[in-house]
Amino acid sequence: MSAVLSSAPAQTSVRPQVDGFHLVIDALKLNGINTIFGLPGIPITDLTRMAQAEGMRVISFRHEQHAGNAAAAAGFLTQKPGICLTVSAPGFLNGLTALANATTNCFPMILISGSSEREIVDLQQGDYEEMDQLAIAKTLCKAAYRVLHAQDIGVGIARAIRAALSGRPGGVYLDLPAKLFAQTMDAAAGKASLIKVVDPAPRQIPAPDAVQRALALLKGAKRPLIVLGKGAAYARADADVRALVERSGIPYLPMSMAKGLLPDNHEQSASAARSYVLEQADVVMLVGARLNWLLSHGKGKTWGAPNPKQFIQIDIAPTEIDSNVAIAAPLIGDIGSCVAALLAGMGANWAKPAAEWTDSIAERKDKNLSKMAATLALNPSPMNFHSALGAIREVVKARPDAIVVNEGANTLDFTRSIVDMYEPRKRLDVGTWGIMGIGMGFAVAAAVTTGKPVIAIEGDSAFGFSGMEVETICRYNLPVCVIVFNNNGVYRGTDINASGGADVAPTVFVKGARYDKMMEAFGGVGVNATTPKELTLALNEAIASGRPTLINAVIDETAGTESGRITSLNPQSAAKKK
């Protein structure tokens, strides 16, 4: 009996597939983005796991707002969009505060949130954490996009990157519905669909006639002043900015996050005579700075009103010009190109300001610096803001590479004027909105993106917004030293309940709180410092060790003043002081 031979079934080749998870990861990596700040949960938990497995660094926070703040600071420090990844609805809303703040401060950031399915959201059928996130985000950021199909992930991320970086940088929202991640497509087609963004922030060259107009105005000035904003720091045109200041001989005033573009002890720095130069200058050149509330809108008593002033403004956004006062010489373009054009137009024989102007500034600087030195030399017990910051000032001088993060009311104001900076982009603070809560997010981002030691100088009230993130700092073993200026309350710890009731006043915290114990609870180093010597020792040890450290700096509870130096924004307090 002969055997019957049956032929084997033909083998069908199966083409490899790729899913939405990996397309998102590959699109980010293709564009040089290798770090995600976020908080896992439905529907993006698997995305965080896969991103980590694919070699990305995923820094997981305890609250989305702080992850968003970290992404924003990372954007400022790297000139790449920082990525914040959140869950839907409440998680998205938590991240939205940071997104809006990033947009206001011109920090490039992308908030990526998982979301409910469109067909359910649009009919309002009550899906898990149902919310029309795209509609909400649009009003608070530069741009907002939603991706519904896997083949569009590359385009969506490319558009988000370009929107975040081009022109005036800012925040972008990217909405990724849950079922997008599970979609699959041919792997080769998926790879081909990804886009590497080319020149996302192209140079914008200023018009030659605008350059000449600005130079002519500067040349005719008797009392010129340069104001450097954080836009100048972001631009990374450090050498040209310094050359412009030094070749022109014009005194300069750095806004807080521009400190260090030139060392704060530079002879042309007018910081110690701020009120005088703002009032007396006749021509002011704004470099990456806006005439918003931080500069009294360019109006009023601060500027010596009604004394006439003329402004030159370098900005990449033409709509910013004339936003508060008339700008006599707008210079539209990116800061690097504008500053380079000014330098080229100045030539080698530029006439520096008259000695009458520079000598008058130097005289006031010397007087104010002498008064400050005398105040810093005091050693009251308990410490006050000046004596504590005097100790920190010397440590930062010895370690100019350390990054200072700063928030609070009095803690912010005093630190800005006492602690000098010597290198660019080494100071991160509350920025344009003056909001609290950026501290731990900014500190984490600074440590992760630079690897440098970070000193977070926090008011006790400000620290309360993000204090739980000390666990995050410990979990990733980051070289962050948090210094909490503890004076038992908001502004100070001495307010009383006017009703005579049992509750403490709204501005008063638990007396004698030991914030250092929080860091110890998560395995970090906690120190309770009551003198400048103890503070100096603890801070030096923290920097040397690189270990997560929190110093509870005990400050005289009577030392603070309400709202720092912006009491006029609190109507009731302003009325009391009139």
Side-chain angles (χ1 to χ4, degrees), residues 242 252 254 259-260 262-272 365 369 393 397 419-423:
R242 181 164 188 158
Y252 73 94
K259 284 165 65 70
L262 289 85
D264 279 340
N265 57 0
H266 193 282
E267 64 178 0
Q268 287 173 247
S269 172
S271 291
K365 279 177 58 178
L369 289 173
R393 168 192 171 105
K397 185 177 182 179
V419 178
D420 288 337
M421 308 305 300
Y422 304 91
E423 296 180 6

mmCIF file with all atom_site columns, all heavy atoms in Angstrom, residues 242 252 254 259-260 262-272 365 369 393 397 419-423:
data_model
loop_
_atom_site.group_PDB
_atom_site.id
_atom_site.type_symbol
_atom_site.label_atom_id
_atom_site.label_alt_id
_atom_site.label_comp_id
_atom_site.label_asym_id
_atom_site.label_entity_id
_atom_site.label_seq_id
_atom_site.pdbx_PDB_ins_code
_atom_site.Cartn_x
_atom_site.Cartn_y
_atom_site.Cartn_z
_atom_site.occupancy
_atom_site.B_iso_or_equiv
_atom_site.pdbx_formal_charge
_atom_site.auth_seq_id
_atom_site.auth_comp_id
_atom_site.auth_asym_id
_atom_site.auth_atom_id
_atom_site.pdbx_PDB_model_num
ATOM 1   N N   . ARG A 1 242 ? 27.259 89.612  26.597 1.00 0.00 ? 242 ARG A N   1
ATOM 2   C CA  . ARG A 1 242 ? 28.329 90.201  27.418 1.00 0.00 ? 242 ARG A CA  1
ATOM 3   C C   . ARG A 1 242 ? 29.130 91.218  26.603 1.00 0.00 ? 242 ARG A C   1
ATOM 4   O O   . ARG A 1 242 ? 29.463 92.308  27.096 1.00 0.00 ? 242 ARG A O   1
ATOM 5   C CB  . ARG A 1 242 ? 29.243 89.114  27.961 1.00 0.00 ? 242 ARG A CB  1
ATOM 6   C CG  . ARG A 1 242 ? 30.353 89.658  28.833 1.00 0.00 ? 242 ARG A CG  1
ATOM 7   C CD  . ARG A 1 242 ? 31.019 88.590  29.669 1.00 0.00 ? 242 ARG A CD  1
ATOM 8   N NE  . ARG A 1 242 ? 31.937 89.176  30.633 1.00 0.00 ? 242 ARG A NE  1
ATOM 9   C CZ  . ARG A 1 242 ? 32.329 88.569  31.749 1.00 0.00 ? 242 ARG A CZ  1
ATOM 10  N NH1 . ARG A 1 242 ? 31.845 87.383  32.072 1.00 0.00 ? 242 ARG A NH1 1
ATOM 11  N NH2 . ARG A 1 242 ? 33.176 89.170  32.570 1.00 0.00 ? 242 ARG A NH2 1
ATOM 12  N N   . TYR A 1 252 ? 23.843 97.856  33.206 1.00 0.00 ? 252 TYR A N   1
ATOM 13  C CA  . TYR A 1 252 ? 22.775 96.894  32.925 1.00 0.00 ? 252 TYR A CA  1
ATOM 14  C C   . TYR A 1 252 ? 22.101 96.463  34.228 1.00 0.00 ? 252 TYR A C   1
ATOM 15  O O   . TYR A 1 252 ? 22.704 96.485  35.308 1.00 0.00 ? 252 TYR A O   1
ATOM 16  C CB  . TYR A 1 252 ? 23.308 95.671  32.182 1.00 0.00 ? 252 TYR A CB  1
ATOM 17  C CG  . TYR A 1 252 ? 24.125 94.737  33.050 1.00 0.00 ? 252 TYR A CG  1
ATOM 18  C CD1 . TYR A 1 252 ? 23.549 93.646  33.689 1.00 0.00 ? 252 TYR A CD1 1
ATOM 19  C CD2 . TYR A 1 252 ? 25.487 94.961  33.235 1.00 0.00 ? 252 TYR A CD2 1
ATOM 20  C CE1 . TYR A 1 252 ? 24.292 92.805  34.490 1.00 0.00 ? 252 TYR A CE1 1
ATOM 21  C CE2 . TYR A 1 252 ? 26.245 94.129  34.039 1.00 0.00 ? 252 TYR A CE2 1
ATOM 22  C CZ  . TYR A 1 252 ? 25.641 93.046  34.660 1.00 0.00 ? 252 TYR A CZ  1
ATOM 23  O OH  . TYR A 1 252 ? 26.381 92.216  35.474 1.00 0.00 ? 252 TYR A OH  1
ATOM 24  N N   . PRO A 1 254 ? 19.892 93.157  35.499 1.00 0.00 ? 254 PRO A N   1
ATOM 25  C CA  . PRO A 1 254 ? 19.344 91.846  35.164 1.00 0.00 ? 254 PRO A CA  1
ATOM 26  C C   . PRO A 1 254 ? 18.059 91.568  35.934 1.00 0.00 ? 254 PRO A C   1
ATOM 27  O O   . PRO A 1 254 ? 17.992 91.802  37.146 1.00 0.00 ? 254 PRO A O   1
ATOM 28  C CB  . PRO A 1 254 ? 20.451 90.886  35.602 1.00 0.00 ? 254 PRO A CB  1
ATOM 29  C CG  . PRO A 1 254 ? 21.092 91.575  36.765 1.00 0.00 ? 254 PRO A CG  1
ATOM 30  C CD  . PRO A 1 254 ? 20.966 93.060  36.507 1.00 0.00 ? 254 PRO A CD  1
ATOM 31  N N   . LYS A 1 259 ? 20.054 86.883  36.011 1.00 0.00 ? 259 LYS A N   1
ATOM 32  C CA  . LYS A 1 259 ? 21.245 87.027  36.850 1.00 0.00 ? 259 LYS A CA  1
ATOM 33  C C   . LYS A 1 259 ? 22.268 85.954  36.466 1.00 0.00 ? 259 LYS A C   1
ATOM 34  O O   . LYS A 1 259 ? 21.914 84.801  36.284 1.00 0.00 ? 259 LYS A O   1
ATOM 35  C CB  . LYS A 1 259 ? 20.863 86.901  38.329 1.00 0.00 ? 259 LYS A CB  1
ATOM 36  C CG  . LYS A 1 259 ? 20.178 88.139  38.896 1.00 0.00 ? 259 LYS A CG  1
ATOM 37  C CD  . LYS A 1 259 ? 19.490 87.839  40.231 1.00 0.00 ? 259 LYS A CD  1
ATOM 38  C CE  . LYS A 1 259 ? 20.461 87.481  41.321 1.00 0.00 ? 259 LYS A CE  1
ATOM 39  N NZ  . LYS A 1 259 ? 21.291 88.633  41.779 1.00 0.00 ? 259 LYS A NZ  1
ATOM 40  N N   . GLY A 1 260 ? 23.518 86.367  36.338 1.00 0.00 ? 260 GLY A N   1
ATOM 41  C CA  . GLY A 1 260 ? 24.571 85.441  35.966 1.00 0.00 ? 260 GLY A CA  1
ATOM 42  C C   . GLY A 1 260 ? 24.937 85.476  34.499 1.00 0.00 ? 260 GLY A C   1
ATOM 43  O O   . GLY A 1 260 ? 25.963 84.919  34.109 1.00 0.00 ? 260 GLY A O   1
ATOM 44  N N   . LEU A 1 262 ? 25.981 88.018  33.062 1.00 0.00 ? 262 LEU A N   1
ATOM 45  C CA  . LEU A 1 262 ? 27.249 88.576  33.480 1.00 0.00 ? 262 LEU A CA  1
ATOM 46  C C   . LEU A 1 262 ? 27.282 88.410  34.993 1.00 0.00 ? 262 LEU A C   1
ATOM 47  O O   . LEU A 1 262 ? 26.235 88.462  35.646 1.00 0.00 ? 262 LEU A O   1
ATOM 48  C CB  . LEU A 1 262 ? 27.379 90.054  33.106 1.00 0.00 ? 262 LEU A CB  1
ATOM 49  C CG  . LEU A 1 262 ? 27.552 90.403  31.632 1.00 0.00 ? 262 LEU A CG  1
ATOM 50  C CD1 . LEU A 1 262 ? 26.209 90.493  30.926 1.00 0.00 ? 262 LEU A CD1 1
ATOM 51  C CD2 . LEU A 1 262 ? 28.324 91.710  31.470 1.00 0.00 ? 262 LEU A CD2 1
ATOM 52  N N   . PRO A 1 263 ? 28.447 88.192  35.578 1.00 0.00 ? 263 PRO A N   1
ATOM 53  C CA  . PRO A 1 263 ? 28.487 87.995  37.036 1.00 0.00 ? 263 PRO A CA  1
ATOM 54  C C   . PRO A 1 263 ? 27.855 89.174  37.759 1.00 0.00 ? 263 PRO A C   1
ATOM 55  O O   . PRO A 1 263 ? 28.004 90.321  37.344 1.00 0.00 ? 263 PRO A O   1
ATOM 56  C CB  . PRO A 1 263 ? 29.985 87.891  37.334 1.00 0.00 ? 263 PRO A CB  1
ATOM 57  C CG  . PRO A 1 263 ? 30.617 87.493  36.040 1.00 0.00 ? 263 PRO A CG  1
ATOM 58  C CD  . PRO A 1 263 ? 29.782 88.099  34.954 1.00 0.00 ? 263 PRO A CD  1
ATOM 59  N N   . ASP A 1 264 ? 27.142 88.889  38.831 1.00 0.00 ? 264 ASP A N   1
ATOM 60  C CA  . ASP A 1 264 ? 26.468 89.959  39.572 1.00 0.00 ? 264 ASP A CA  1
ATOM 61  C C   . ASP A 1 264 ? 27.439 90.975  40.166 1.00 0.00 ? 264 ASP A C   1
ATOM 62  O O   . ASP A 1 264 ? 27.032 92.091  40.512 1.00 0.00 ? 264 ASP A O   1
ATOM 63  C CB  . ASP A 1 264 ? 25.598 89.366  40.687 1.00 0.00 ? 264 ASP A CB  1
ATOM 64  C CG  . ASP A 1 264 ? 24.248 88.883  40.153 1.00 0.00 ? 264 ASP A CG  1
ATOM 65  O OD1 . ASP A 1 264 ? 23.845 89.321  39.071 1.00 0.00 ? 264 ASP A OD1 1
ATOM 66  O OD2 . ASP A 1 264 ? 23.607 88.061  40.838 1.00 0.00 ? 264 ASP A OD2 1
ATOM 67  N N   . ASN A 1 265 ? 28.722 90.603  40.288 1.00 0.00 ? 265 ASN A N   1
ATOM 68  C CA  . ASN A 1 265 ? 29.703 91.560  40.802 1.00 0.00 ? 265 ASN A CA  1
ATOM 69  C C   . ASN A 1 265 ? 30.407 92.316  39.678 1.00 0.00 ? 265 ASN A C   1
ATOM 70  O O   . ASN A 1 265 ? 31.421 92.977  39.906 1.00 0.00 ? 265 ASN A O   1
ATOM 71  C CB  . ASN A 1 265 ? 30.724 90.858  41.698 1.00 0.00 ? 265 ASN A CB  1
ATOM 72  C CG  . ASN A 1 265 ? 31.454 89.728  40.980 1.00 0.00 ? 265 ASN A CG  1
ATOM 73  O OD1 . ASN A 1 265 ? 31.207 89.449  39.807 1.00 0.00 ? 265 ASN A OD1 1
ATOM 74  N ND2 . ASN A 1 265 ? 32.357 89.070  41.701 1.00 0.00 ? 265 ASN A ND2 1
ATOM 75  N N   . HIS A 1 266 ? 29.880 92.246  38.464 1.00 0.00 ? 266 HIS A N   1
ATOM 76  C CA  . HIS A 1 266 ? 30.444 92.972  37.326 1.00 0.00 ? 266 HIS A CA  1
ATOM 77  C C   . HIS A 1 266 ? 30.330 94.474  37.578 1.00 0.00 ? 266 HIS A C   1
ATOM 78  O O   . HIS A 1 266 ? 29.336 94.957  38.119 1.00 0.00 ? 266 HIS A O   1
ATOM 79  C CB  . HIS A 1 266 ? 29.688 92.588  36.051 1.00 0.00 ? 266 HIS A CB  1
ATOM 80  C CG  . HIS A 1 266 ? 30.352 93.024  34.779 1.00 0.00 ? 266 HIS A CG  1
ATOM 81  N ND1 . HIS A 1 266 ? 30.299 94.322  34.324 1.00 0.00 ? 266 HIS A ND1 1
ATOM 82  C CD2 . HIS A 1 266 ? 31.078 92.332  33.871 1.00 0.00 ? 266 HIS A CD2 1
ATOM 83  C CE1 . HIS A 1 266 ? 30.959 94.406  33.177 1.00 0.00 ? 266 HIS A CE1 1
ATOM 84  N NE2 . HIS A 1 266 ? 31.446 93.211  32.881 1.00 0.00 ? 266 HIS A NE2 1
ATOM 85  N N   . GLU A 1 267 ? 31.339 95.230  37.162 1.00 0.00 ? 267 GLU A N   1
ATOM 86  C CA  . GLU A 1 267 ? 31.361 96.661  37.461 1.00 0.00 ? 267 GLU A CA  1
ATOM 87  C C   . GLU A 1 267 ? 30.215 97.425  36.809 1.00 0.00 ? 267 GLU A C   1
ATOM 88  O O   . GLU A 1 267 ? 29.827 98.510  37.285 1.00 0.00 ? 267 GLU A O   1
ATOM 89  C CB  . GLU A 1 267 ? 32.699 97.276  37.034 1.00 0.00 ? 267 GLU A CB  1
ATOM 90  C CG  . GLU A 1 267 ? 32.966 97.226  35.542 1.00 0.00 ? 267 GLU A CG  1
ATOM 91  C CD  . GLU A 1 267 ? 34.282 97.898  35.172 1.00 0.00 ? 267 GLU A CD  1
ATOM 92  O OE1 . GLU A 1 267 ? 34.970 98.400  36.090 1.00 0.00 ? 267 GLU A OE1 1
ATOM 93  O OE2 . GLU A 1 267 ? 34.613 97.909  33.963 1.00 0.00 ? 267 GLU A OE2 1
ATOM 94  N N   . GLN A 1 268 ? 29.634 96.882  35.712 1.00 0.00 ? 268 GLN A N   1
ATOM 95  C CA  . GLN A 1 268 ? 28.540 97.590  35.046 1.00 0.00 ? 268 GLN A CA  1
ATOM 96  C C   . GLN A 1 268 ? 27.168 97.197  35.574 1.00 0.00 ? 268 GLN A C   1
ATOM 97  O O   . GLN A 1 268 ? 26.155 97.761  35.151 1.00 0.00 ? 268 GLN A O   1
ATOM 98  C CB  . GLN A 1 268 ? 28.594 97.366  33.536 1.00 0.00 ? 268 GLN A CB  1
ATOM 99  C CG  . GLN A 1 268 ? 29.708 98.114  32.836 1.00 0.00 ? 268 GLN A CG  1
ATOM 100 C CD  . GLN A 1 268 ? 29.825 97.739  31.366 1.00 0.00 ? 268 GLN A CD  1
ATOM 101 O OE1 . GLN A 1 268 ? 30.804 97.133  30.945 1.00 0.00 ? 268 GLN A OE1 1
ATOM 102 N NE2 . GLN A 1 268 ? 28.819 98.080  30.583 1.00 0.00 ? 268 GLN A NE2 1
ATOM 103 N N   . SER A 1 269 ? 27.126 96.239  36.491 1.00 0.00 ? 269 SER A N   1
ATOM 104 C CA  . SER A 1 269 ? 25.835 95.851  37.062 1.00 0.00 ? 269 SER A CA  1
ATOM 105 C C   . SER A 1 269 ? 25.262 96.994  37.885 1.00 0.00 ? 269 SER A C   1
ATOM 106 O O   . SER A 1 269 ? 25.941 97.587  38.721 1.00 0.00 ? 269 SER A O   1
ATOM 107 C CB  . SER A 1 269 ? 25.985 94.617  37.943 1.00 0.00 ? 269 SER A CB  1
ATOM 108 O OG  . SER A 1 269 ? 24.777 94.349  38.638 1.00 0.00 ? 269 SER A OG  1
ATOM 109 N N   . ALA A 1 270 ? 23.995 97.290  37.638 1.00 0.00 ? 270 ALA A N   1
ATOM 110 C CA  . ALA A 1 270 ? 23.312 98.364  38.369 1.00 0.00 ? 270 ALA A CA  1
ATOM 111 C C   . ALA A 1 270 ? 22.296 97.816  39.361 1.00 0.00 ? 270 ALA A C   1
ATOM 112 O O   . ALA A 1 270 ? 21.443 98.562  39.844 1.00 0.00 ? 270 ALA A O   1
ATOM 113 C CB  . ALA A 1 270 ? 22.634 99.308  37.378 1.00 0.00 ? 270 ALA A CB  1
ATOM 114 N N   . SER A 1 271 ? 22.390 96.536  39.674 1.00 0.00 ? 271 SER A N   1
ATOM 115 C CA  . SER A 1 271 ? 21.390 95.923  40.564 1.00 0.00 ? 271 SER A CA  1
ATOM 116 C C   . SER A 1 271 ? 21.325 96.623  41.914 1.00 0.00 ? 271 SER A C   1
ATOM 117 O O   . SER A 1 271 ? 20.246 96.786  42.479 1.00 0.00 ? 271 SER A O   1
ATOM 118 C CB  . SER A 1 271 ? 21.706 94.437  40.763 1.00 0.00 ? 271 SER A CB  1
ATOM 119 O OG  . SER A 1 271 ? 21.489 93.720  39.570 1.00 0.00 ? 271 SER A OG  1
ATOM 120 N N   . ALA A 1 272 ? 22.471 97.025  42.436 1.00 0.00 ? 272 ALA A N   1
ATOM 121 C CA  . ALA A 1 272 ? 22.494 97.661  43.760 1.00 0.00 ? 272 ALA A CA  1
ATOM 122 C C   . ALA A 1 272 ? 22.015 99.106  43.716 1.00 0.00 ? 272 ALA A C   1
ATOM 123 O O   . ALA A 1 272 ? 21.907 99.754  44.761 1.00 0.00 ? 272 ALA A O   1
ATOM 124 C CB  . ALA A 1 272 ? 23.899 97.593  44.346 1.00 0.00 ? 272 ALA A CB  1
ATOM 125 N N   . LYS A 1 365 ? 25.733 102.552 44.212 1.00 0.00 ? 365 LYS A N   1
ATOM 126 C CA  . LYS A 1 365 ? 26.036 101.138 44.421 1.00 0.00 ? 365 LYS A CA  1
ATOM 127 C C   . LYS A 1 365 ? 26.920 100.950 45.644 1.00 0.00 ? 365 LYS A C   1
ATOM 128 O O   . LYS A 1 365 ? 26.639 100.105 46.507 1.00 0.00 ? 365 LYS A O   1
ATOM 129 C CB  . LYS A 1 365 ? 26.747 100.558 43.183 1.00 0.00 ? 365 LYS A CB  1
ATOM 130 C CG  . LYS A 1 365 ? 25.870 100.167 42.032 1.00 0.00 ? 365 LYS A CG  1
ATOM 131 C CD  . LYS A 1 365 ? 26.698 99.687  40.858 1.00 0.00 ? 365 LYS A CD  1
ATOM 132 C CE  . LYS A 1 365 ? 27.582 98.505  41.197 1.00 0.00 ? 365 LYS A CE  1
ATOM 133 N NZ  . LYS A 1 365 ? 28.349 98.017  40.028 1.00 0.00 ? 365 LYS A NZ  1
ATOM 134 N N   . LEU A 1 369 ? 25.780 98.843  48.785 1.00 0.00 ? 369 LEU A N   1
ATOM 135 C CA  . LEU A 1 369 ? 26.502 97.606  49.068 1.00 0.00 ? 369 LEU A CA  1
ATOM 136 C C   . LEU A 1 369 ? 27.159 97.652  50.439 1.00 0.00 ? 369 LEU A C   1
ATOM 137 O O   . LEU A 1 369 ? 27.233 96.631  51.134 1.00 0.00 ? 369 LEU A O   1
ATOM 138 C CB  . LEU A 1 369 ? 27.545 97.343  47.978 1.00 0.00 ? 369 LEU A CB  1
ATOM 139 C CG  . LEU A 1 369 ? 26.983 96.937  46.604 1.00 0.00 ? 369 LEU A CG  1
ATOM 140 C CD1 . LEU A 1 369 ? 28.091 96.880  45.562 1.00 0.00 ? 369 LEU A CD1 1
ATOM 141 C CD2 . LEU A 1 369 ? 26.256 95.592  46.689 1.00 0.00 ? 369 LEU A CD2 1
ATOM 142 N N   . ARG A 1 393 ? 24.993 82.869  50.602 1.00 0.00 ? 393 ARG A N   1
ATOM 143 C CA  . ARG A 1 393 ? 25.678 83.697  49.610 1.00 0.00 ? 393 ARG A CA  1
ATOM 144 C C   . ARG A 1 393 ? 27.138 83.263  49.438 1.00 0.00 ? 393 ARG A C   1
ATOM 145 O O   . ARG A 1 393 ? 27.635 83.147  48.304 1.00 0.00 ? 393 ARG A O   1
ATOM 146 C CB  . ARG A 1 393 ? 25.580 85.151  50.056 1.00 0.00 ? 393 ARG A CB  1
ATOM 147 C CG  . ARG A 1 393 ? 26.452 86.151  49.334 1.00 0.00 ? 393 ARG A CG  1
ATOM 148 C CD  . ARG A 1 393 ? 26.429 87.468  50.103 1.00 0.00 ? 393 ARG A CD  1
ATOM 149 N NE  . ARG A 1 393 ? 27.393 88.435  49.632 1.00 0.00 ? 393 ARG A NE  1
ATOM 150 C CZ  . ARG A 1 393 ? 27.082 89.498  48.899 1.00 0.00 ? 393 ARG A CZ  1
ATOM 151 N NH1 . ARG A 1 393 ? 25.831 89.706  48.537 1.00 0.00 ? 393 ARG A NH1 1
ATOM 152 N NH2 . ARG A 1 393 ? 28.024 90.357  48.541 1.00 0.00 ? 393 ARG A NH2 1
ATOM 153 N N   . LYS A 1 397 ? 28.970 81.546  46.160 1.00 0.00 ? 397 LYS A N   1
ATOM 154 C CA  . LYS A 1 397 ? 30.149 82.191  45.579 1.00 0.00 ? 397 LYS A CA  1
ATOM 155 C C   . LYS A 1 397 ? 31.268 81.173  45.361 1.00 0.00 ? 397 LYS A C   1
ATOM 156 O O   . LYS A 1 397 ? 31.998 81.232  44.364 1.00 0.00 ? 397 LYS A O   1
ATOM 157 C CB  . LYS A 1 397 ? 30.620 83.320  46.503 1.00 0.00 ? 397 LYS A CB  1
ATOM 158 C CG  . LYS A 1 397 ? 31.768 84.137  45.942 1.00 0.00 ? 397 LYS A CG  1
ATOM 159 C CD  . LYS A 1 397 ? 32.124 85.290  46.877 1.00 0.00 ? 397 LYS A CD  1
ATOM 160 C CE  . LYS A 1 397 ? 33.243 86.151  46.295 1.00 0.00 ? 397 LYS A CE  1
ATOM 161 N NZ  . LYS A 1 397 ? 33.573 87.284  47.203 1.00 0.00 ? 397 LYS A NZ  1
ATOM 162 N N   . VAL A 1 419 ? 21.912 86.986  47.295 1.00 0.00 ? 419 VAL A N   1
ATOM 163 C CA  . VAL A 1 419 ? 22.727 85.887  46.762 1.00 0.00 ? 419 VAL A CA  1
ATOM 164 C C   . VAL A 1 419 ? 23.108 86.194  45.318 1.00 0.00 ? 419 VAL A C   1
ATOM 165 O O   . VAL A 1 419 ? 22.264 86.180  44.421 1.00 0.00 ? 419 VAL A O   1
ATOM 166 C CB  . VAL A 1 419 ? 21.971 84.544  46.865 1.00 0.00 ? 419 VAL A CB  1
ATOM 167 C CG1 . VAL A 1 419 ? 22.811 83.424  46.253 1.00 0.00 ? 419 VAL A CG1 1
ATOM 168 C CG2 . VAL A 1 419 ? 21.650 84.231  48.320 1.00 0.00 ? 419 VAL A CG2 1
ATOM 169 N N   . ASP A 1 420 ? 24.378 86.462  45.090 1.00 0.00 ? 420 ASP A N   1
ATOM 170 C CA  . ASP A 1 420 ? 24.863 86.779  43.748 1.00 0.00 ? 420 ASP A CA  1
ATOM 171 C C   . ASP A 1 420 ? 24.985 85.515  42.906 1.00 0.00 ? 420 ASP A C   1
ATOM 172 O O   . ASP A 1 420 ? 25.292 84.432  43.421 1.00 0.00 ? 420 ASP A O   1
ATOM 173 C CB  . ASP A 1 420 ? 26.230 87.467  43.821 1.00 0.00 ? 420 ASP A CB  1
ATOM 174 C CG  . ASP A 1 420 ? 26.146 88.893  44.337 1.00 0.00 ? 420 ASP A CG  1
ATOM 175 O OD1 . ASP A 1 420 ? 25.056 89.496  44.233 1.00 0.00 ? 420 ASP A OD1 1
ATOM 176 O OD2 . ASP A 1 420 ? 27.165 89.396  44.853 1.00 0.00 ? 420 ASP A OD2 1
ATOM 177 N N   . MET A 1 421 ? 24.773 85.686  41.585 1.00 0.00 ? 421 MET A N   1
ATOM 178 C CA  . MET A 1 421 ? 24.952 84.599  40.628 1.00 0.00 ? 421 MET A CA  1
ATOM 179 C C   . MET A 1 421 ? 26.111 84.966  39.706 1.00 0.00 ? 421 MET A C   1
ATOM 180 O O   . MET A 1 421 ? 26.319 86.142  39.382 1.00 0.00 ? 421 MET A O   1
ATOM 181 C CB  . MET A 1 421 ? 23.670 84.362  39.828 1.00 0.00 ? 421 MET A CB  1
ATOM 182 C CG  . MET A 1 421 ? 22.408 84.174  40.669 1.00 0.00 ? 421 MET A CG  1
ATOM 183 S SD  . MET A 1 421 ? 22.522 82.863  41.920 1.00 0.00 ? 421 MET A SD  1
ATOM 184 C CE  . MET A 1 421 ? 22.837 81.428  40.919 1.00 0.00 ? 421 MET A CE  1
ATOM 185 N N   . TYR A 1 422 ? 26.830 83.945  39.242 1.00 0.00 ? 422 TYR A N   1
ATOM 186 C CA  . TYR A 1 422 ? 28.058 84.187  38.488 1.00 0.00 ? 422 TYR A CA  1
ATOM 187 C C   . TYR A 1 422 ? 28.046 83.525  37.119 1.00 0.00 ? 422 TYR A C   1
ATOM 188 O O   . TYR A 1 422 ? 28.910 83.820  36.286 1.00 0.00 ? 422 TYR A O   1
ATOM 189 C CB  . TYR A 1 422 ? 29.264 83.686  39.284 1.00 0.00 ? 422 TYR A CB  1
ATOM 190 C CG  . TYR A 1 422 ? 29.336 84.316  40.654 1.00 0.00 ? 422 TYR A CG  1
ATOM 191 C CD1 . TYR A 1 422 ? 28.727 83.715  41.757 1.00 0.00 ? 422 TYR A CD1 1
ATOM 192 C CD2 . TYR A 1 422 ? 29.993 85.527  40.849 1.00 0.00 ? 422 TYR A CD2 1
ATOM 193 C CE1 . TYR A 1 422 ? 28.780 84.296  43.011 1.00 0.00 ? 422 TYR A CE1 1
ATOM 194 C CE2 . TYR A 1 422 ? 30.051 86.115  42.102 1.00 0.00 ? 422 TYR A CE2 1
ATOM 195 C CZ  . TYR A 1 422 ? 29.441 85.499  43.187 1.00 0.00 ? 422 TYR A CZ  1
ATOM 196 O OH  . TYR A 1 422 ? 29.481 86.093  44.436 1.00 0.00 ? 422 TYR A OH  1
ATOM 197 N N   . GLU A 1 423 ? 27.110 82.625  36.868 1.00 0.00 ? 423 GLU A N   1
ATOM 198 C CA  . GLU A 1 423 ? 27.027 81.936  35.592 1.00 0.00 ? 423 GLU A CA  1
ATOM 199 C C   . GLU A 1 423 ? 25.586 81.968  35.103 1.00 0.00 ? 423 GLU A C   1
ATOM 200 O O   . GLU A 1 423 ? 24.642 82.026  35.910 1.00 0.00 ? 423 GLU A O   1
ATOM 201 C CB  . GLU A 1 423 ? 27.497 80.486  35.737 1.00 0.00 ? 423 GLU A CB  1
ATOM 202 C CG  . GLU A 1 423 ? 28.957 80.349  36.132 1.00 0.00 ? 423 GLU A CG  1
ATOM 203 C CD  . GLU A 1 423 ? 29.388 78.896  36.276 1.00 0.00 ? 423 GLU A CD  1
ATOM 204 O OE1 . GLU A 1 423 ? 28.575 77.993  35.949 1.00 0.00 ? 423 GLU A OE1 1
ATOM 205 O OE2 . GLU A 1 423 ? 30.533 78.661  36.713 1.00 0.00 ? 423 GLU A OE2 1
#
